[in-house]
DNA sequence: AATTTTATGGAGTTAAAACTCTTTTTTTCT
DNA sequence: AGAAAAAAAGAGTTTTAACTCCATAAAATT
């Protein structure tokens, strides 16, 4: 339930989810060299094309993707898929606040990165949050892509 | 870094954080019976008063707070602080999506609450997320309030 | 060289979260 | 009963994330 309307609170922004899914799509469908265009990716993944374009731009600027203009152009991974983690992508698109900021917005936690238990909850929650961060850092695109049996899993929402 | 502007991505909405901090304020400053008004809470915690009013309304409707109108009215906890968990508050204000939705928005996970490893990342991340949920469920307002030495910790953002 | 195809860049629009303002209702105090 | 104090309710506005549109730039094909 939400106070003022419809809410769907996510840890990760839609923008970032789209980015992750597009990169996975490339990892699954390209053999490293082959370029894939925004049109094809956005149609297959059912994502808004022009918006995805912006996201890809950002990922290209941040050396996650290579982009080539013109006919037969498109995007390919700029590194081995085993060298790209979900954390890398989240950090570029959403930043890493989600892994570090104080969960209830207490000032003292923000100025106290050692978690020397000034906010009682931070003392209890920071281990879980470190695990969360670790999970994102250890999950590579390469390994993720290997685990995908059917691309249909990634169609639509 | 964020693509289009300034982003500060939080697991928990500001609305919810304000609610948690206001409840903590009441738990620390009231002995169970004493009512405290929005004006005092919002001034001391540096929160937008009318907005906090809405949040308190919602929490009152959901039996977390008692509210009394008129002179010497205000809000008090509707239950023992040990019976109120952070999870309760998050669920009321933000919903529990943040603990359950698929982190990268893959359809198959949403329709598959058993996590029978169709999405490779869900298989790896759901344990951390269960821990996160547990952490929120086990953290009561009562215990939290006991751990607060100085209210100054909770002033401002 | 001209055309086509694809990404890039910039300036918009839309929808939802965050926040404000004003009026009404309830309670208490005189 | 009347006035004052507080929350409730409703209708706004502002800000930000999400998304679109159009013109430009670069590369390949003819």
């Amino acid at each position: 339930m939400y106070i003022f309307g419809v809410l769907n609170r996510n840890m990760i922004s839609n923008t970032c989810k789209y980015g992750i899914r597009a990169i996975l799509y490339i990892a699954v469908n390209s053999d490293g060299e082959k370029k894939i265009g925004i049109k094809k990716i956005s149609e297959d993944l059912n994502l808004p094309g022009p918006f995805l374009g912006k996201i890809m731009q950002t990922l290209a600027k941040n050396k996650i993707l290579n982009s080539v203009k013109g006919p037969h152009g498109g995007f390919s991974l700029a590194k081995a898929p085993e060298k790209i983690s979900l954390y890398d992508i989240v950090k570029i698109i959403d930043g890493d606040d989600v892994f570090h900021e104080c969960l209830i917005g207490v000032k003292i936690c923000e100025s106290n990165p050692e978690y020397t238990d000034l906010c009682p909850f931070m003392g209890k929650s920071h281990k879980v949050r470190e695990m969360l961060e670790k999970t994102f850092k250890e999950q590579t695109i390469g390994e993720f892509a290997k685990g995908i049996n059917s691309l249909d899993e990634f169609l639509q929402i």
Side-chain angles (χ1 to χ4, degrees), chain A residues 36-71:
Chain A
I36 308 180
I38 287 173
K39 190 147 177 287
K40 174 130 183 64
I41 300 173
S42 63
E43 277 170 5
D44 281 5
L45 295 183
N46 224 321
L47 301 178
F51 188 50
L52 183 61
K54 298 291 184 194
I55 300 169
M56 301 300 262
Q57 250 177 52
T58 301
L59 293 169
K61 274 178 194 149
N62 283 276
K63 315 283 186 199
I64 300 285
L65 297 175
N66 287 321
S67 81
V68 176
K69 292 178 178 178

Side-chain angles (χ1 to χ4, degrees), chain A residues 11 33 39-40 65 72 81 92 98 101 121 131 149 157:
Chain A
M11 257 186 234
E33 288 304 307
K39 190 147 177 287
K40 174 130 183 64
L65 297 175
H72 306 296
I92 289 167
V98 75
E101 41 90 58
F121 187 53
M131 266 185 71
N149 307 311
I157 273 217

